[in-house]
Amino acid sequence: MTSAQPITLLRPTRPATDGQPAIPGHRVELQLLTTLKCNLKCTYCSLGVGEVLGSQQHVDYSLEQLAAFVDTQLKGYETYVTFYGGEPTLNRPYMEEVIARFPNFRYQLQTNGTLLDGLPDAVLARMSNFLISIDGGEGTTDGYRGRGIYRQVMKNLAAIRPKTSGSITARMTWSHPEISFEEIDHLTEVFDYLYFQFVADIGAYPAEGMAKRKEILARLIAKFFRHSDRLYPIIPIMGMVRNKVMPSKAQELYQGKTQCRASTHILNVMPDGRIFPCPDLLYLPEMQQGSVVDNWLRASPLQPDPAMPCSTCDAYAFCRGNCMKNLYLAYVKKDETYRREVVEPICELVKFMGEEIDRHQPQEWFARASLPVRKLITDCEVYEYVEIMP
Ligand code: SF4
Ligand code: SF4
């Protein structure tokens, strides 16, 4: 990204409210950043922007302040927590304290997977979903994360399997065009689900790379539609198919807005207690949405804007504005290089996916699908934990 700015610690005063609840609907996700430290150095890490990574190593607010915030701002909401970082398992005591303090919340852990074997069984057993970052096969993952990381993650995955009834989802950043169909396909065999996201790096989408990515996407989508009694568990494809065969579901959980929840009901709580809608925009003071320490909350400032092209886009019905951060940087902050080199190529890939899905007549496929497959397409719990769109 080109718009990096140093992180600021200024606290705005509580903004006036317009009488509307800060969080629409009935559910809220608290994404608690347990630390901004990480034990790996992934080359594309988004927290590297604005010098966020490593800037806060301890949680500075107390559990009492968090409980007071929940009581005041989130009363009556179904609440689920994602432990996030940095690498959240580096602050294991905080995770244990939160789970003990809020035993009725649902929990997810977003992790690089390298320290999973150090977590107590009681913590593992409480997770409804593990979101484990991985980049593809062994060579690709070790190339980005360091030698031996892929094997270490696979070993840990096998170790935690018997200790959890939660789902285990791979979170793959599709970072370069050489990542093969076979690498991606293999992840669907090792994990319960695969969620992939197109990397947001300048220079990542040269023309020949776009062609390669499209070829792989076409193969993945063809494989998805090959069976109607067995699910090919790739979340962005499942989610797009859901949005096409059951458009009301594309709106229900997110008030019709972006499906990553950044415009509606995800609160990223930094270790110092400040709250932001998107974990990639922690460096922008205008994005602050609240504070656990000062106990205030306003609606997400990361909203659709007339400058964004979505309202006239053919893909909007199933895409719903994909990544608001990308759109904000490109069309509101007017970062032209980012628009040309990141946002437009990703939109082109999203549209391509929609067209490929349509070629396989998703409505007819859904009509033939077995009940368990239909249930997962419409209501898979993992939709609540990931951005759905790539
Ligand atoms: S493809 Fe791009 S322009 Fe179209 S709706 Fe999605 S984010 Fe908006
Ligand atoms: S998909 Fe949503 S949460 Fe993720 S970077 Fe984009 S706006 Fe932020």
Side-chain angles (χ1 to χ4, degrees):
M1 264 175 267
T2 56
S3 51
Q5 296 174 11
I7 191 165
T8 174
L9 294 174
L10 288 178
R11 277 203 182 105
T13 51
R14 181 178 178 152
T17 61
D18 56 4
Q20 297 297 315
I23 308 286
H26 304 287
R27 72 181 66 200
V28 63
E29 176 173 356
L30 273 178
Q31 186 143 278
L32 300 178
L33 284 78
T34 71
T35 174
L36 296 180
K37 246 188 326 186
C38 188
N39 59 330
L40 300 183
K41 286 193 169 48
C42 305
T43 45
Y44 55 77
C45 180
S46 59
L47 291 190
V49 178
E51 298 163 24
V52 174
L53 188 67
S55 61
Q56 296 171 28
Q57 311 218 341
H58 310 283
V59 171
D60 290 335
Y61 56 86
S62 67
L63 221 51
E64 280 61 42
Q65 285 174 312
L66 181 62
F69 176 84
V70 167
D71 273 354
T72 318
Q73 310 292 348
L74 308 180
K75 212 178 185 67
Y77 285 89
E78 179 196 337
T79 306
Y80 59 106
V81 165
T82 294
F83 292 114
Y84 194 86
E87 171 48 43
T89 56
L90 290 173
N91 191 352
R92 193 181 93 191
Y94 174 73
M95 290 170 52
E96 290 174 306
E97 284 166 19
V98 170
I99 291 171
R101 180 70 189 241
F102 305 101
N104 288 334
F105 287 180
R106 234 182 325 151
Y107 290 95
Q108 161 175 245
L109 175 61
Q110 152 85 61
T111 173
N112 62 34
T114 54
L115 304 170
L116 276 173
D117 51 342
L119 289 182
D121 291 0
V123 170
L124 293 171
R126 285 309 310 266
M127 296 301 154
S128 294
N129 186 50
F130 295 84
L131 207 47
I132 300 183
S133 309
I134 197 130
D135 300 292
E138 184 169 0
T140 307
T141 299
D142 287 3
Y144 283 107
R145 288 167 189 262
R147 218 164 129 209
I149 296 297
Y150 182 87
R151 284 178 188 230
Q152 193 180 346
V153 171
M154 290 302 150
K155 186 168 105 333
N156 288 348
L157 192 55
I160 67 164
R161 271 282 182 203
K163 298 178 178 175
T164 177
S165 53
S167 47
I168 304 184
T169 304
R171 183 192 190 106
M172 186 191 103
T173 302
W174 194 335
S175 33
H176 73 83
E178 298 309 322
I179 293 173
S180 67
F181 169 84
E182 286 72 22
E183 284 178 81
I184 300 172
D185 186 53
H186 180 64
L187 292 178
T188 66
E189 288 161 19
V190 181
F191 291 87
D192 298 325
Y193 298 94
L194 165 65
Y195 168 71
F196 67 76
Q197 191 162 38
F198 297 126
V199 71
D201 276 356
I202 306 271
Y205 297 97
E208 65 280 13
M210 288 292 281
K212 280 188 187 154
R213 281 185 166 96
K214 285 182 183 176
E215 188 196 317
I216 293 172
L217 284 168
R219 287 179 71 187
L220 294 171
I221 289 167
K223 184 163 180 183
F224 179 91
F225 284 107
R226 202 166 296 154
H227 301 283
S228 51
D229 58 350
R230 218 180 322 143
L231 184 73
Y232 193 41
I234 300 184
I235 294 286
I237 304 177
M238 290 167 62
M240 284 191 200
V241 170
R242 176 199 67 173
N243 294 353
K244 284 172 180 284
V245 300
M246 207 159 280
S248 61
K249 291 274 184 189
Q251 310 218 26
E252 195 182 336
L253 290 173
Y254 340 85
Q255 317 293 314
K257 294 183 178 172
T258 178
Q259 296 166 101
C260 72
R261 295 103 66 217
S263 294
T264 50
H265 63 279
I266 187 169
L267 304 178
N268 289 275
V269 182
M270 290 184 82
D272 68 4
R274 288 179 303 144
I275 298 172
F276 292 79
C278 168
D280 285 8
L281 293 178
L282 303 174
Y283 60 92
L284 289 181
E286 73 263 29
M287 281 293 142
Q288 185 172 354
Q289 184 181 355
S291 163
V292 165
V293 174
D294 300 325
N295 201 349
W296 65 270
L297 185 67
R298 63 169 173 148
S300 167
L302 191 55
Q303 295 293 333
D305 186 282
M308 298 171 183
C310 304
S311 60
T312 55
C313 174
D314 289 346
Y316 186 66
F318 68 89
C319 172
R320 311 218 69 87
N322 192 2
C323 172
M324 291 303 292
K325 169 203 73 177
N326 281 353
L327 295 170
Y328 181 78
L329 294 177
Y331 299 102
V332 179
K333 300 289 261 188
K334 303 203 186 310
D335 185 332
E336 292 300 312
T337 311
Y338 194 71
R339 173 179 64 74
R340 216 176 37 249
E341 297 216 11
V342 175
V343 181
E344 288 179 354
I346 292 178
C347 287
E348 186 180 326
L349 292 172
V350 166
K351 290 175 199 167
F352 175 81
M353 287 181 73
E355 286 158 15
E356 278 300 301
I357 288 170
D358 287 344
R359 284 198 326 111
H360 292 273
Q361 279 99 29
Q363 301 281 359
E364 290 170 25
W365 174 85
F366 190 68
R368 285 194 311 275
S370 65
L371 277 181
V373 169
R374 290 169 74 121
K375 178 90 185 128
L376 284 169
I377 290 293
T378 53
D379 292 315
C380 182
E381 190 179 349
V382 179
Y383 292 150
E384 295 180 48
Y385 298 120
V386 296
E387 292 90 330
I388 298 185
M389 294 300 293

